[in-house]
Amino acid sequence: MAALPLVAIYIVEKIAFNTSHSLAMLEHRLSGGGAEAITAPGRFPMDPMTHLTPGSFLISPGLWIGLAVAAAFLAAAVRLRRNQGPI
């Protein structure tokens, strides 16, 4: 049931636009997503800890947008729980 919306999005996209951008985005997220933000661009690290660049990770818009969305959801949950009576 959890995968059904993702499959439906892929099928609708494939029928309507004959593309697979949603599948590529899902594969990118499931394979680790932000690997390019951790290593220096154009470098192949022999040791995984060699080319750490936390600065590029901290200035990435995806991080801050994700944190803002998480904060908005948390605020909405607190507001809903506060306005609801006892269960």
Side-chain angles (χ1 to χ4, degrees), residues 21-44:
H21 296 296
S22 62
L23 183 63
M25 185 264 317
L26 181 63
E27 287 175 351
H28 178 70
R29 287 294 169 199
L30 290 178
S31 67
E36 65 275 355
I38 296 173
T39 59
R43 308 251 188 226
F44 181 75

Side-chain angles (χ1 to χ4, degrees), residues 11-64:
I11 290 172
V12 168
E13 178 189 13
K14 192 67 173 171
I15 291 171
F17 304 113
N18 198 22
T19 61
S20 61
H21 296 296
S22 62
L23 183 63
M25 185 264 317
L26 181 63
E27 287 175 351
H28 178 70
R29 287 294 169 199
L30 290 178
S31 67
E36 65 275 355
I38 296 173
T39 59
R43 308 251 188 226
F44 181 75
M46 298 309 271
D47 179 25
M49 300 301 285
T50 303
H51 301 291
L52 285 179
T53 55
S56 63
F57 174 69
L58 291 174
I59 63 171
S60 67
L63 172 71
W64 297 107

